[in-house]
Amino acid sequence: MQIANHTVASIDYTLTGPDGKVIDSSQGRGPLAYLHGASNIIPGLESALAGKTSGDEFVVVVPPERAYGPHDPNMVQPVPRGNFDGIKEILPGMQFEARTPQGARVVRVVKVDPDSVTIDANHPLAGVELQFAITVIDVRQATAEEISHGHPHGPGGHQH
Ligand code: ZN
C-alpha cells in the first residue's frame, strides 16, 4: 500500500542538522506512526513520504520554510532580570517555560546582562535545514476513529 491521505505510516528516521550531528532518531524507541495528510509531521517530510511504500528507504533535505519556519529576529528579546526571580544562576543555553498569551512555550537564554536576560522564543529548529534518513516500516489504512481524531492510535501513535 502506498502512503496517501487517510493512511497511517510507520517510519524509522534519523534527523541530522547541517553540521551532520544527529538531532533526533527513532532508534531505541521504535518506529514513529503518523496519519498522512493530518499535519502530524512537518510539511517537507510529509510531502516526501507521499507515494512511498513499506521497505522504501530515502534521504530528504527539508529547508526551514518546509520545516519549523525561518528564525524570527523579533522573537529574540531582552526581558528584565527580575522576571527570573528565585533563579540564582542564569546561563546562555538554559531553557525556561514562559507563559505567553499563546500558551506555554519554551524559550532559550542567549545572553545574560546584569539587568536583563535576552531570550529566544523561536522553535529550536527554526531556520535550520534538516536532513531526514527515512525507512518506511509499514503502511496501513487509517480507521475512521483515527481520521476523526487526526492522529494514529496504537504502537508509535497515541495511546488513549
Ligand atoms: Zn485519538
Side-chain angles (χ1 to χ4, degrees):
M1 180 181 284
Q2 287 188 320
I3 298 177
N5 286 352
H6 297 174
T7 62
V8 171
S10 297
I11 56 171
D12 272 330
Y13 67 93
T14 300
L15 167 59
T16 49
D19 56 4
K21 276 205 195 116
V22 174
I23 297 170
D24 190 17
S25 164
S26 60
Q27 217 170 15
R29 267 187 289 170
L32 168 80
Y34 81 98
L35 174 62
H36 194 83
S39 301
N40 290 174
I41 58 175
I42 58 170
L45 182 56
E46 186 166 56
S47 63
L49 280 156
K52 296 286 196 291
T53 186
S54 63
D56 282 355
E57 287 180 45
F58 63 98
V59 172
V60 57
V61 175
V62 182
E65 294 70 32
R66 305 271 291 145
Y68 294 96
H71 186 267
D72 180 359
N74 293 321
M75 289 171 76
V76 181
Q77 285 182 350
V79 297
R81 176 69 176 79
N83 286 19
F84 296 85
D85 229 13
I87 299 162
K88 276 203 197 101
E89 194 175 30
I90 301 175
L91 298 168
M94 287 173 82
Q95 300 194 348
F96 293 93
E97 194 163 280
R99 264 162 299 179
T100 73
Q102 290 79 42
R105 72 185 302 153
V106 173
V107 301
R108 270 161 307 133
V109 174
V110 289
K111 191 158 154 284
V112 182
D113 294 310
D115 297 325
S116 73
V117 176
T118 304
I119 56 163
D120 185 347
N122 283 284
H123 188 284
L125 295 178
V128 180
E129 186 180 80
L130 304 176
Q131 180 176 296
F132 291 89
I134 300 288
T135 304
V136 180
I137 305 298
D138 182 58
V139 187
R140 64 169 170 84
Q141 205 68 51
T143 65
E145 190 184 47
E146 288 172 324
I147 293 165
S148 79
H149 286 198
H151 57 229
H153 296 152
H158 280 243
Q159 318 287 338
H160 68 123

